[in-house]
Amino acid sequence: ELKVEQNPLFLSMQEGKNYTIYCNYSTTSDRLYWYRQDPGKSLESLFVLLSNGAVKQEGRLMASLDTKARLSTLHITAAVHDLSATYFCAVDWAGTASKLTFGTGTRLQVTL
Amino acid sequence: KAGVTQTPRYLIKTRGQQVTLSCSPISGHRSVSWYQQTPGQGLQFLFEYFSETQRNKGNFPGRFSGRQFSNSRSEMNVSTLELGDSALYLCASRGVPGELFFGEGSRLTVL
């Protein structure tokens, strides 16, 4: 069975702190996506990681992919309140972005 | 550039009824996929269409169906609605190199 696990499920952190969200998956894949979702809203694409060792950064967020370990991380640097949202990783088993398997999501709450 | 457009945004139905949701992808995108999001099951893949053909299907009962038109617009239909079908239905349009862009979703409530 294809499984994608995220941890933690819920993360409360203070502004200015650093933290990492982990995404583990059960079967080999070279493509992994990170999305952000605000309450009641759709999914916003953050990163597309297309190969082993891929690292992408945008502002205070940095994502990496280790296909050998079947692990992706989303690192948050010096969190700000605007980053409060739910973050999902999704694995593309077919390699065509046709069918993604999503993780459970990590609800991030950044407090002042 | 217009994004992915889904209609209707909100709808309320009763058990046993059927519903049709529409999705217009980003201009030039030929692949449209559908996902269901519920608090209990999370985000689950329903199906994907490319050039009017269903290419992938998730593990949903036959009550869930879809189609795609020649202009790449897609519709999904759920027949004989059940309470558990209440969800946010998201449509995604695929660009290159395989990035998915999601619409705002259609929130279905079944009473």
Side-chain angles (χ1 to χ4, degrees):
Chain A
E1 184 184 347
L2 308 175
K3 285 187 178 179
V4 181
E5 295 181 344
Q6 281 181 243
N7 67 83
L9 296 183
F10 179 75
L11 175 57
S12 180
M13 56 191 297
Q14 288 182 317
E15 277 200 334
K17 299 292 187 182
N18 305 331
Y19 209 84
T20 300
I21 298 171
Y22 297 89
C23 175
N24 293 273
Y25 52 97
S26 60
T27 304
T28 301
S29 173
D30 289 336
R31 289 172 174 245
L32 190 135
Y33 301 75
W34 282 96
Y35 289 93
R36 166 182 173 148
Q37 187 176 41
D38 292 293
K41 301 292 186 181
S42 186
L43 297 170
E44 174 190 353
S45 178
L46 293 174
F47 301 107
V48 181
L49 304 171
L50 299 177
S51 62
N52 184 41
V55 178
K56 290 195 174 180
Q57 182 165 6
E58 180 73 33
R60 300 174 187 275
L61 300 178
M62 182 174 72
S64 65
L65 178 62
D66 182 344
T67 58
K68 291 183 173 58
R70 299 175 191 169
L71 171 69
S72 180
T73 60
L74 180 66
H75 186 72
I76 303 154
T77 301
V80 292
H81 181 69
D82 284 351
L83 290 179
S84 298
T86 299
Y87 293 85
F88 292 92
C89 64
V91 178
D92 177 9
W93 308 103
T96 59
S98 302
K99 181 178 180 178
L100 301 187
T101 301
F102 281 82
T104 49
T106 296
R107 186 177 159 213
L108 172 65
Q109 184 176 60
V110 181
T111 58
L112 298 172
Chain B
K1 191 175 184 181
V4 180
T5 304
Q6 290 189 246
T7 57
R9 291 290 312 281
Y10 303 91
L11 65 167
I12 300 173
K13 294 284 187 179
T14 56
R15 280 181 296 175
Q17 287 187 310
Q18 73 165 15
V19 66
T20 299
L21 309 178
S22 178
C23 172
S24 293
I26 292 170
S27 178
H29 289 187
R30 294 163 62 191
S31 168
V32 172
S33 50
W34 290 88
Y35 290 81
Q36 181 197 64
Q37 185 176 27
T38 61
Q41 300 298 316
L43 279 152
Q44 294 184 284
F45 171 78
L46 280 157
F47 26 65
E48 186 232 0
Y49 287 87
F50 182 86
S51 293
E52 302 179 66
T53 301
Q54 186 181 88
R55 292 206 304 188
N56 286 287
K57 190 176 189 303
N59 295 325
F60 279 81
R63 300 185 297 107
F64 292 80
S65 62
R67 58 178 175 169
Q68 186 180 33
F69 303 95
S70 59
N71 61 358
S72 294
R73 189 178 70 86
S74 176
E75 288 182 347
M76 68 163 282
N77 183 276
V78 188
S79 62
T80 319
L81 284 166
E82 301 176 0
L83 294 178
D85 297 333
S86 295
L88 179 66
Y89 290 89
L90 293 165
C91 167
S93 168
R94 180 163 62 95
V96 291
E99 187 170 2
L100 285 185
F101 298 90
F102 283 84
E104 292 293 317
S106 293
R107 186 168 294 280
L108 170 65
T109 301
V110 181
L111 302 177

